[in-house]
Amino acid sequence: MSAASQATAGLTRSNKGLRRWLSARVPMTVSIVITLLVLAPLIWAISTALKSEVEAVAYPPAFWPSQITFENFARVLNGQNFLTELWNSVCYSFGGVFLSILVSAPAAYAAARFDIRGKTALLLLILGSSMIPTVALLVPIFGILEKFGMVNSALAIIVIEAARTAPQNIWFIRSFIEAVPKEIEEAAFIDGATRRQTFFTVVLPLIKPGLAATSILSLITVWNDYLTVAVFAPESSSRTLQVAIVNQVLDSNGISWSYMMAFVLVASAPVVTIFLASQRWFVSGLMAGGVKG
Amino acid sequence: MAQSSPRRASALAWFGPVIALLVIVMIYPTIQLFRVSLSQTEFFDPVAFVGLENFRYVLSDPDFWAEARITAEFVAGSLSLALVFGVLTAVILQSLGGKAAAIFRTILLLPWTLSMTVVGCLWLWLLNPSYGPVRYLLSLAGYDTGLLLGDPDLAIWLIVGASAWWSFPYAMVLVTAALQSIPKELYEAVEIDGGSALAKFRFVTWPHIIPTLGSTALVLCIMYVTLVSLIVVMTGGGPLGETTTFSLAIYKETLNSIDIAPAAVISIIVLIANLVLGIGYSVLSARIKRSK
């Protein structure tokens, strides 16, 4: 073998080694850099929330507080309206999702199990109404609520949120019910159970994990909703944490940024916790075509 | 003995509660919306039928066409950024693989779980023209950032950035699922033929993720068209109305509620846009399911 071809062979070999070295490390490095960039807004929010009010607006800004303080979080939690806003957020989310599941589960069962004329039309109606955006119905719903004196009513908010999340819940619950073998139900029928009894005592217990997953997705949707509450329940005693955030931004007295970031973090903590605890469901929900908005 | 389907009337009863709910909250208001759009209104009440007069009025209003342009800019900008970044992160994490990739994916999904009001606040603070880190970092690089969200030419694109930050994880998750369904043998075949990484992407990855990208794009469009609170927080529609999309205009006019008919007309346009996108999504996702 000539020296030249030996050199070429050596070069390709080291080239291959370099390639392997790169292909092992480049994706990791790039992933870390991208993740840090994506997290930067959240890291900045945490850093700001831990600064004193004065340090938060120092220029040039410090990357990390010179002295960590929790006074902003204390101010948020002791805020005059905080408990009311938190209670409203909890009340609308749980109330809306509960009502939504309550009406969706029987419909999902019928969609999965009954073979009747008119079913397709009903399912199309449900699918169609899931395509009507909240924002397009602000005008007529406000008009209707005003006529019945139901602006600022918690019940109205719960009913609206339930209707908004119902189509998605029906779709998910139906797929869970379809996964339950029919034979299990048939055994119950032989024992003399009615449809209704079978539904409550056999089917629902079997799809509990599915019900939990779809409830969690709806819960996050309602918790994060601003529009419905802001327009239909503008009174200060009906506000949620999301509405409170916007009102503080628009407050003409100016914003305390360290307080604001603490507020935003506190308002997001429940959904982020739920997400981290149940991300597998969350991801499968996304892939099943869960549409927010 | 298997119980057969119950009689039609009793079977429909299972649908009763949800249909009642949807009729009250969605169907009846939609009918009312069309009535309002064809009427002269006093506050929220239709008082006289005027035919298409409101539509003529809205379509001849220059503000309407400005809102149409801003909506288009916002949707197109957010969509391109979210899709590009979604595909990029999905492909990189796929090549990383293993447990580490799963952890990165979870972390990258975080923005998606946040509400749009929260996202708006985070970015409002980042983009603060006096104390914000974006101004500071750019000034280190020698740029004077000016008013940022107060700049009429720039504001909508900054909101586009925030909305892409919030929504790219959705594209990432769906593209990841599509990537994971590609048979490994196809990549090996390209390798045997001596194809580069680029050839693998062009001839294997791309054709497999393009249907997913289509349906993802439609869902994202629906979200961008109807998005309100992010803009409310970041600019409130200003400066000089340069961030007022259709949906933001509806929101503002509903709150002002002086003459509601024009808002109803824009609502109908948004509604129809959504229906078209939604039907497109249903057709496309049914086709993807069938091809699997």
Side-chain angles (χ1 to χ4, degrees):
Chain A
M1 207 184 275
S2 75
S5 72
Q6 232 169 6
T8 330
L11 200 65
T12 31
R13 201 172 308 131
S14 75
N15 210 355
K16 257 190 188 153
L18 180 72
R19 255 201 177 162
R20 199 169 309 137
W21 189 86
L22 276 178
S23 70
R25 274 158 194 80
V26 166
M28 187 49 124
T29 318
V30 175
S31 304
I32 291 174
V33 170
I34 287 181
T35 307
L36 284 177
L37 277 177
V38 168
L39 281 186
L42 280 169
I43 297 170
W44 187 247
I46 294 169
S47 154
T48 305
L50 295 172
K51 285 176 182 171
S52 70
E53 203 161 318
V54 177
E55 197 184 5
V57 291
Y59 191 87
F63 172 70
W64 199 246
S66 58
Q67 195 180 2
I68 287 177
T69 166
F70 291 98
E71 72 179 299
N72 298 305
F73 289 97
R75 270 179 67 206
V76 169
L77 298 176
N78 296 325
Q80 215 183 341
N81 300 317
F82 179 75
L83 283 181
T84 315
E85 290 152 2
L86 177 66
W87 166 246
N88 287 332
S89 284
V90 170
C91 180
Y92 300 156
S93 312
F94 281 86
V97 173
F98 179 75
L99 180 60
S100 183
I101 298 287
L102 198 68
V103 299
S104 301
Y109 179 79
R113 288 290 193 251
F114 298 165
D115 190 19
I116 45 165
R117 216 152 38 87
K119 191 177 94 174
T120 315
L122 281 179
L123 289 178
L124 276 177
L125 180 81
I126 293 165
L127 182 68
S129 57
S130 77
M131 292 171 192
I132 303 173
T134 313
V135 68
L137 295 185
L138 291 182
V139 169
I141 293 182
F142 193 87
I144 294 164
L145 290 179
E146 208 172 43
K147 200 177 276 170
F148 291 100
M150 288 189 74
V151 176
N152 292 316
S153 139
L155 179 67
I157 300 292
I158 287 174
V159 168
I160 293 170
E161 301 285 18
R164 297 234 68 98
T165 47
Q168 182 185 309
N169 285 330
I170 293 177
W171 247 248
F172 286 173
I173 298 173
R174 178 170 84 150
S175 66
F176 298 131
I177 292 176
E178 278 167 351
V180 174
K182 273 191 180 139
E183 292 74 26
I184 297 180
E185 281 177 67
E186 279 160 10
F189 292 144
I190 291 169
D191 292 342
T194 63
R195 270 278 171 199
R196 210 156 50 111
Q197 286 166 333
T198 320
F199 173 66
F200 281 110
T201 58
V202 179
V203 178
L204 283 190
L206 280 174
I207 59 163
K208 253 187 211 158
L211 286 179
T214 186
S215 303
I216 281 171
L217 282 181
S218 301
L219 209 60
I220 293 181
T221 310
V222 181
W223 181 277
N224 281 345
D225 181 30
Y226 162 78
L227 205 51
T228 311
V229 184
V231 176
F232 303 137
E235 210 170 63
S236 64
S237 62
S238 327
R239 279 176 198 157
T240 58
L241 292 171
Q242 303 298 330
V243 178
I245 289 174
V246 178
N247 285 343
Q248 286 169 48
V249 170
L250 304 181
D251 190 343
S252 52
N253 294 329
I255 308 172
S256 159
W257 283 105
S258 51
Y259 171 79
M260 204 52 231
M261 288 301 117
F263 198 107
V264 158
L265 292 172
V266 169
S268 307
V271 284
V272 171
T273 313
I274 289 179
F275 162 69
L276 291 175
S278 59
Q279 34 138 334
R280 194 178 297 235
W281 293 341
F282 189 86
V283 169
S284 56
L286 279 191
M287 301 205 286
V291 181
K292 323 204 281 184
Chain B
M1 177 205 72
Q3 204 163 340
S4 60
S5 276
R7 275 179 300 112
R8 192 154 171 256
S10 69
L12 291 182
W14 291 71
F15 283 105
V18 79
I19 295 297
L21 194 65
L22 292 177
V23 166
I24 294 171
V25 180
M26 318 278 241
I27 313 294
Y28 174 65
T30 305
I31 297 167
Q32 188 70 6
L33 175 69
F34 278 90
R35 260 187 71 201
V36 169
S37 73
L38 299 173
S39 310
Q40 189 189 336
T41 49
E42 224 165 69
F43 298 104
F44 284 87
D45 296 321
V47 286
F49 180 81
V50 293
L52 292 174
E53 180 56 28
N54 294 318
F55 285 82
R56 200 196 56 75
Y57 169 79
V58 167
L59 291 177
S60 63
D61 182 358
D63 282 353
F64 171 86
W65 295 104
E67 286 157 18
R69 170 181 57 80
I70 293 160
T71 307
E73 286 173 351
F74 176 68
V75 172
S78 305
L79 186 64
S80 356
L81 265 184
L83 284 184
V84 167
F85 206 64
V87 172
L88 200 71
T89 45
V91 169
I92 289 170
L93 289 180
Q94 181 74 4
S95 70
L96 178 65
K99 215 168 179 117
I103 294 170
F104 281 123
R105 266 184 217 117
T106 305
I107 301 175
L108 288 179
L109 253 169
L110 272 178
W112 179 252
T113 63
L114 302 174
S115 75
M116 281 183 291
T117 51
V118 168
V119 173
C121 272
L122 297 180
W123 283 89
L124 191 62
W125 176 220
L126 286 171
L127 296 169
N128 185 294
S130 318
Y131 323 110
V134 170
R135 175 201 168 183
Y136 176 65
L137 290 177
L138 287 174
S139 78
L140 290 183
Y143 286 104
D144 177 14
T145 47
L147 294 171
L148 291 170
L149 285 165
D151 180 343
D153 295 325
L154 194 59
I156 192 68
W157 304 111
L158 295 173
I159 300 179
V160 160
S163 98
W165 179 78
W166 165 72
S167 55
F168 90 88
Y170 178 78
M172 178 189 75
V173 167
L174 287 146
V175 171
T176 300
L179 288 177
Q180 285 170 348
S181 72
I182 302 176
K184 283 210 172 58
E185 296 78 40
L186 295 177
Y187 288 111
E188 285 158 12
V190 178
E191 232 159 71
I192 290 165
D193 293 345
S196 62
L198 198 67
K200 282 185 199 168
F201 184 81
R202 167 73 185 78
F203 295 108
V204 181
T205 311
W206 186 248
H208 274 87
I209 62 172
I210 192 80
T212 304
L213 279 183
S215 63
T216 307
L218 289 169
V219 171
L220 287 174
C221 277
I222 291 176
M223 287 174 197
Y224 300 141
V225 168
T226 57
L227 178 145
V228 172
S229 41
L230 183 68
I231 306 179
V232 170
V233 171
M234 289 183 74
T235 59
L240 306 174
E242 276 302 316
T243 56
T244 303
T245 58
F246 281 147
S247 289
L248 194 82
I250 299 168
Y251 163 81
K252 287 178 99 168
E253 286 182 38
T254 310
L255 291 186
N256 293 335
S257 74
I258 298 150
D259 179 18
I260 214 66
V265 171
I266 303 177
S267 300
I268 287 177
I269 292 170
V270 170
L271 179 72
I272 291 173
N274 248 34
L275 277 176
V276 171
L277 292 166
I279 292 168
Y281 170 76
S282 304
V283 171
L284 191 58
S285 56
R287 196 180 296 168
I288 294 173
K289 225 176 250 170
R290 225 177 308 129
S291 72
K292 267 181 188 163

